[in-house]
RNA sequence: CGCGGGAUGGAGCAGUUGGUAGCUCGUCGGGCUCAUAACCCGAAGGUUGCCGGUUCAAGUCCGGCUCCCGCAACCA
């Protein structure tokens, strides 16, 4: 076996505090497309993804669910793995930072850098909020108070380990300077350069305020900082320090990610590698975000797009195609279901799907379902072949640059040219003339050849396309191990291949049908959610009840709004003064988006009177006003009758 | 002056080292009938957010301004 060149590509390891959304799917699909392409090119590919499972956030979420962190995380990781299966992600490994193989390497790395002297123990100085058990930097504070609870903070010193990152800054700068492709796209590169030039500080790489993490090997009081832990996955997955043969994949060819975590990958990670005396990854590439019509996707907005639902509805190939085609890779891009539908209809249904459909239909009708043989080749045929060759070259060129939109565009031009070729040759006219039979055969042969090329070139983006095409147009003797160079030049004889018309490859999505479909899906979704909720409730039944005593702890009162004004420099907050039966209270409420201040004055609202006071952007809020809300609407509970302010509610 | 991104025909976007604007969708007109009401041809439509500068020449470089958006902070 000849020594095949290796190719190592990674996605970030995702944080399993919740199920993943379409943005994660985007990164993973993009990396998958490259991985598949490189395999077709004959590379020995290692495609890695996984999960980053430590940290305070996970510990807290798990605690809130009354679960051990590992149990909490296991469930979500299962969902993530299932998602990658439905999206046909071809990862070669899936690493979890809670696995022993990873923990060992992290400890080894920590030790090694420590022994080298680049990790040292010192004192971390910061403002500590005791109730919140959290350190803050001076910048994070709000008017000198805790940004979380508004209480006083104290300047505390805590023993911590630091990584001597600043030491490597000059070397890193030089490396970025000499390797223009190291950080991509260029706008990110400039951002990173500026950031480093602004000065790097040593990085605090251990924590003592929580325990869900990998302990510092020689000091169990400390837990290793999550990012330090997480980044090492790129080494631990390929057997750093244990499997020399596998470790030959290092250095990674590409670390792919969304733009928000570029700093970790372009600054912290390279300096860690320098400390380990390992070569740096060849490329660190950040793509943009997927924006929705109403802004960035977020859980609190309730507008998260679930890739599972989309894939079930439109098919893996279509969804993957859309993601790669519609978004300009380095830039943020928009998403809406309408955009997805129109992309599928125009590119996949009208052009590609229909091209295959009309070709197959003609072969069935004119040649009894067998691809005819070649006759005399005319200039117009050669031109089509030339276009196929261009598509072949350009597709590879753009894929190398991670320019997915232009890659797919290049193939689309071949598909369009083939459709035009049909019109130019008018096979239906040729079919009426015995004499033209050979010519007709040539035209159809060329169409099949073009389709074969297009389908191969598209297969990294659309992993089930070859198989599905082959059901109608059996041009692939085996659908396994198709090579990139099988696409072009046109060599292998395809005449005599059987053809069988079947269901449309990419059915057109008709709007009215789609709407009804959507409604049905939404209903199904709702039912599913309800079922899930019910299930959860039964499983957590014992924990989910509170006693009457517990409820009585909540002191609910009728409160009359005396005055109300918007808080300055805060778009969501209103400051209300309320009368609670003789006592006046100030309450800050996040309802500014839904209520004009003057409309609330005089209203009687429901106040949680014994809630722990908290400072919000500097103003002390003594209580909470009850309101019902979903993503769109919010209504404050009011008392209509003549009941007095201060009346107890129970 | 917290950090960053953007402003290009109706919509969504491209525009490499500066040389009188491209793509997809949509619209309008025509053609064809093999096909998934698809396909093919043609047309209309932009003073490239505003102002100034550099230059023989700027969407592309420089300075200023306006407006959007994301992050951060605030939903007790």
């Amino acid at each position: 076996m000849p020594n095949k060149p290796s190719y190592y590509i990674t996605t970030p390891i995702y944080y399993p505090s919740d199920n993943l959304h379409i943005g994660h799917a985007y990164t993973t699909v993009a990396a998958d497309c490259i991985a598949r392409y490189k395999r077709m090119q004959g590379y020995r590919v290692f495609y890695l993804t996984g999960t980053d499972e430590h940290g305070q956030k996970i510990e807290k979420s798990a605690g809130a669910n009354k679960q051990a962190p590992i149990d909490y995380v296991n469930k979500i990781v299962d969902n993530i793995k299932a998602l990658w299966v439905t999206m046909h992600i071809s990862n070669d490994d899936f690493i979890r930072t809670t696995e022993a193989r990873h923990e060992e390497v992290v400890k080894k790395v920590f030790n090694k850098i420590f022994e080298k002297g680049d990790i040292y123990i010192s004192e971390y100085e910061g403002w500590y909020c005791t109730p919140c058990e959290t350190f803050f930097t001076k910048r994070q504070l709000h008017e000198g108070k805790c940004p979380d609870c508004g209480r006083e903070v104290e300047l505390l010193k805590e023993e911590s380990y630091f990584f001597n990152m600043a030491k490597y800054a000059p070397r890193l700068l030089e490396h970025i300077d000499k390797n223009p492709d190291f950080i991509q796209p260029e706008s990110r590169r400039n951002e990173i350069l500026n950031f480093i030039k602004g000065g790097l500080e040593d990085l605090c790489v251990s924590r003592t305020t929580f325990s869900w993490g990998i302990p510092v090997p020689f000091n169990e009081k400390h837990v290793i900082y999550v990012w330090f832990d997480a980044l090492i996955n790129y080494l631990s997955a390929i057997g750093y320090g244990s499997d020399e043969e596998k470790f030959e994949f290092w250095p990674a060819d590409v670390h792919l990610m969304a733009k928000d975590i570029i700093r970790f990958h372009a600054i912290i990670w390279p300096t860690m590698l320098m400390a380990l005396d390992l070569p740096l990854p060849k490329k660190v590439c950040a793509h943009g975000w997927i924006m929705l019509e109403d802004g960035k996707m977020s859980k609190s907005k309730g507008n998260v797009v679930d890739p599972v639902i989309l894939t079930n509805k439109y098919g893996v190939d279509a969804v993957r195609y859309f993601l790669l085609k519609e978004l300009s890779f380095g830039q943020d891009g928009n998403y809406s279901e309408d955009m997805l539908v129109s992309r599928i209809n125009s590119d996949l249904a009208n052009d590609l799907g229909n091209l295959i459909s009309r070709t197959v239909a003609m072969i069935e009708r004119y040649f009894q379902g067998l691809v005819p043989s070649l006759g005399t080749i005319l200039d117009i045929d050669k031109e089509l072949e030339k276009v196929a060759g261009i598509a072949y070259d350009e597709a590879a060129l753009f894929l190398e640059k991670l320019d997915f939109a232009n890659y797919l565009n290049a193939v689309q031009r071949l598909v369009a040219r083939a459709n035009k070729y049909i019109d130019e040759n008018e096979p239906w006219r040729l079919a009426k003339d015995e004499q033209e039979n050979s010519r007709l055969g040539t035209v159809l042969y060329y169409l099949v050849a073009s389709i074969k090329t297009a389908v191969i070139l598209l297969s990294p983006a659309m992993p089930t396309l070859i198989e599905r095409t082959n059901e109608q147009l059996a041009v692939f003797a085996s659908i396994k191990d198709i090579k990139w160079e099988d696409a072009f030049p046109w060599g292998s004889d395809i005449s005599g291949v059987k053809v069988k018309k079947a269901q449309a490859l990419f059915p057109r999505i008709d709007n009215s049908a789609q709407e009804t479909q959507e409604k049905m899906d939404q209903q199904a979704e709702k039912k599913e959610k309800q079922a899930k909720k019910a299930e959860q409730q039964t499983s957590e039944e014992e924990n989910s009840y509170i006693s009457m005593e517990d409820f009585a702890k909540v002191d609910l009162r009728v409160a009359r709004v005396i005055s109300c004004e918007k808080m300055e420099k805060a778009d969501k907050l209103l400051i209300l003064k309320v009368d609670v039966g003789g006592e006046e209270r100030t309450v800050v409420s996040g309802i500014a988006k839904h209520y004009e201040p003057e409309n609330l004055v005089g209203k009687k609202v429901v106040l949680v009177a014994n809630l722990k006071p908290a400072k919000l952007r500097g103003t002390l809020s003594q209580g909470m006003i009850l309101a019902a809300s979903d993503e769109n609407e919010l209504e404050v509970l009011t008392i209509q009758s003549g009941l007095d302010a201060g009346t107890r509610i129970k």
Side-chain angles (χ1 to χ4, degrees):
Chain A
M1 193 106 185
N3 251 352
K4 289 200 267 179
S6 72
Y7 191 86
Y8 182 23
I9 183 167
T10 70
T11 72
I13 47 177
Y14 302 110
Y15 205 64
S17 61
D18 201 356
N19 286 335
L20 302 187
H21 56 64
I22 194 161
H24 303 108
Y26 179 48
T27 315
T28 312
V29 164
D32 187 62
C33 180
I34 297 295
R36 286 173 183 273
Y37 161 68
K38 286 289 176 183
R39 284 192 201 102
M40 288 173 78
Q41 289 262 28
Y43 285 79
R44 207 158 42 89
V45 170
F46 194 78
Y47 172 23
L48 178 68
T49 188
T51 43
D52 168 19
E53 309 183 2
H54 291 125
Q56 195 168 20
K57 233 192 223 169
I58 297 270
E59 192 179 80
K60 273 191 180 166
S61 304
N65 282 279
K66 294 185 178 156
Q67 279 181 312
I70 190 68
D71 295 330
Y72 176 77
V73 140
N74 276 341
K75 209 164 135 194
I76 295 172
V77 169
D78 284 346
N79 291 342
I80 293 174
K81 284 182 171 173
L83 170 62
W84 298 152
V85 170
T86 56
M87 299 213 70
H88 287 251
I89 300 302
S90 64
N91 54 305
D92 296 286
D93 200 349
F94 186 103
I95 187 147
R96 304 180 53 176
T97 54
T98 48
E99 288 170 329
R101 59 168 173 160
H102 176 73
E103 295 196 12
E104 275 166 30
V105 174
V106 171
K107 286 178 179 170
K108 200 178 293 176
V109 165
F110 199 94
N111 263 326
K112 194 166 175 186
I113 301 181
F114 181 77
E115 275 160 24
K116 198 181 171 189
D118 281 336
I119 285 178
Y120 57 92
I121 192 153
S122 178
E123 285 193 323
Y124 179 88
E125 203 182 67
W127 276 262
Y128 190 71
C129 175
T130 313
C132 298
E133 294 179 358
T134 314
F135 272 101
F136 298 98
T137 63
K138 195 175 181 183
R139 284 193 59 179
Q140 285 174 305
L141 295 181
H142 262 286
E143 294 164 11
K145 310 274 171 67
C146 169
D148 281 353
C149 70
R151 275 174 288 211
E152 297 290 334
V153 290
E154 45 187 333
L155 189 60
L156 269 192
K157 285 179 182 177
E158 188 198 39
E159 186 185 72
S160 269
Y161 289 92
F162 283 83
F163 169 51
N164 193 350
M165 192 160 75
K167 171 178 160 188
Y168 294 99
R171 235 175 99 188
L172 181 57
L173 269 180
E174 191 189 331
H175 185 265
I176 296 172
D177 210 49
K178 284 189 179 161
N179 299 276
D181 288 344
F182 177 54
I183 301 170
Q184 283 190 335
E186 207 182 315
S187 56
R188 297 289 152 220
R189 179 171 177 263
N190 294 335
E191 187 184 327
I192 296 294
L193 277 173
N194 286 334
F195 189 84
I196 301 172
K197 283 174 187 162
L200 292 186
E201 284 176 21
D202 286 354
L203 184 72
C204 178
V205 290
S206 75
R207 301 288 135 97
T208 53
T209 47
F210 63 95
S211 61
W212 179 235
I214 300 176
V216 169
F218 40 81
N219 190 341
E220 298 270 322
K221 274 197 320 212
H222 293 256
V223 157
I224 296 173
Y225 173 49
V226 272
W227 269 104
F228 192 90
D229 163 1
L231 287 164
I232 291 171
N233 90 87
Y234 302 132
L235 296 180
S236 59
I238 52 168
Y240 174 71
S242 66
D243 186 343
E244 273 181 40
E245 199 181 320
K246 198 173 181 187
F247 195 69
E248 277 175 16
F249 276 108
W250 193 259
D253 291 85
V254 189
H255 290 312
L256 204 65
M257 73 211 70
K259 63 182 186 182
D260 50 337
I261 54 174
I262 184 80
R263 281 185 192 175
F264 299 96
H265 286 82
I267 298 176
I268 298 178
W269 182 226
T271 53
M272 284 167 68
L273 290 166
M274 285 174 182
L276 286 170
D277 296 312
L278 285 173
L280 304 192
K282 293 175 194 159
K283 200 182 278 183
V284 174
C285 183
H287 66 251
W289 279 332
I290 297 177
M291 312 301 281
L292 304 185
E293 280 154 331
D294 51 348
K296 187 187 176 322
M297 189 161 28
S298 77
K299 225 180 109 185
S300 53
K301 279 186 188 167
N303 61 358
V304 175
V305 178
D306 185 341
V308 176
I309 294 170
L310 279 187
T311 306
N312 289 339
K313 191 162 163 187
Y314 299 109
V316 220
D317 285 350
V319 172
R320 289 176 53 129
Y321 178 87
F322 169 80
L323 288 173
L324 296 172
K325 175 82 183 260
E326 196 71 28
L327 294 129
S328 190
F329 199 64
Q331 225 59 41
D332 290 355
N334 297 307
Y335 167 84
S336 71
E337 195 151 337
D338 283 349
M339 291 169 77
L340 173 71
V341 167
S342 83
R343 192 89 260 160
I344 293 173
N345 279 344
S346 67
D347 289 6
L348 299 182
N350 294 353
D351 292 350
L352 177 64
N354 189 39
L355 172 66
I356 293 171
S357 167
R358 61 204 299 214
T359 303
V360 165
M362 285 191 281
I363 293 172
E364 279 199 327
R365 186 188 293 198
Y366 307 138
F367 292 95
Q368 294 78 49
L370 296 175
V371 177
S373 50
L374 272 179
T376 315
I377 293 161
L378 306 180
D379 282 349
I380 191 169
D381 308 326
K382 285 183 189 157
E383 200 205 316
L384 179 63
E385 187 169 2
K386 198 177 134 199
V387 172
I390 293 171
Y392 175 76
D393 292 338
E394 287 190 350
L397 198 78
F398 287 121
L399 274 172
E400 296 290 344
K401 291 200 263 185
L402 306 179
D403 186 344
F404 299 100
N406 276 317
Y407 145 59
L408 294 172
N409 243 329
V411 185
Q412 193 63 24
R413 277 195 286 273
L414 169 60
V415 172
R417 189 65 190 81
N419 272 318
K420 185 173 172 173
Y421 176 83
I422 296 180
D423 274 54
E424 286 169 340
N425 286 289
E426 302 181 89
W428 48 92
R429 202 176 44 78
L430 297 174
K432 286 177 187 152
D433 187 346
E434 267 309 294
Q435 306 256 309
E436 298 280 19
N437 193 263
S438 158
R439 178 68 203 141
L440 178 61
T442 305
V443 168
L444 289 172
Y445 183 100
Y446 262 66
L447 281 170
V448 173
S450 303
I451 290 169
K452 186 176 174 185
T453 297
V455 164
I456 295 174
L457 298 184
L458 289 171
S459 64
M462 300 197 271
T464 73
L465 182 61
I466 284 182
E467 186 182 348
R468 299 200 305 132
T469 305
N470 217 38
E471 285 164 11
Q472 306 201 21
L473 199 53
V475 287
F476 301 100
S478 159
I479 57 165
K480 285 214 161 175
D481 299 320
I482 308 280
K483 296 285 167 221
W484 187 256
E485 66 255 32
D486 294 340
F488 200 81
W490 294 345
S492 64
D493 195 15
I494 45 177
S495 60
V497 158
K498 271 192 191 161
V499 149
K500 193 169 184 302
K501 187 144 179 134
Q503 242 185 348
L505 235 42
F506 298 101
R508 227 186 120 75
I509 299 153
D510 149 337
N511 249 351
S512 54
Q514 186 218 337
E515 273 165 27
T516 49
Q517 181 74 37
E518 246 171 21
K519 275 181 195 159
M520 283 166 61
D521 284 356
Q522 274 172 6
Q523 279 172 357
E525 219 180 292
K526 256 189 198 166
K527 271 188 190 165
E528 219 173 90
K529 273 188 187 166
Q530 280 170 353
K532 260 189 195 168
K533 252 190 196 166
E535 200 180 299
Q536 270 182 7
Q537 271 171 4
T538 36
S539 70
E540 290 170 8
E541 212 153 78
E542 279 159 39
N543 297 332
S544 65
Y545 285 115
I546 61 168
S547 67
M548 193 61 205
E549 259 167 48
D550 286 338
F551 176 72
K553 288 178 188 165
V554 183
D555 184 16
L556 296 175
R557 300 281 177 160
V558 176
R560 188 190 305 108
V561 180
I562 302 166
S563 70
C564 181
E565 58 186 50
K566 282 202 75 162
M567 184 185 283
E568 276 177 41
K569 288 185 187 176
D571 40 351
K572 292 181 190 167
L573 301 182
L574 291 182
I575 303 174
L576 299 98
K577 290 220 186 317
V578 296
D579 168 23
V580 195
E583 187 194 352
E584 190 180 308
R585 298 256 196 125
T586 302
V587 178
V588 179
S589 185
I591 55 175
K593 294 236 160 122
H594 302 275
Y595 281 94
E596 291 303 321
E598 55 271 24
N599 294 340
L600 283 171
V601 175
K603 288 227 166 101
K604 278 181 283 186
V605 299
V606 179
L607 179 80
V608 182
N610 59 345
L611 193 70
K612 196 162 67 178
K615 232 175 207 184
L616 291 169
R617 284 194 78 87
T619 303
L620 192 69
S621 178
Q622 306 158 297
M624 172 169 81
I625 284 169
L626 296 188
S629 68
D630 62 14
E631 316 71 285
N632 306 313
E633 275 186 277
L634 182 146
E635 186 177 348
V636 169
L637 270 61
T638 53
I639 302 291
Q640 313 286 353
S641 71
L643 285 164
D644 286 332
T647 307
R648 178 95 203 246
I649 299 170
K650 56 184 181 184

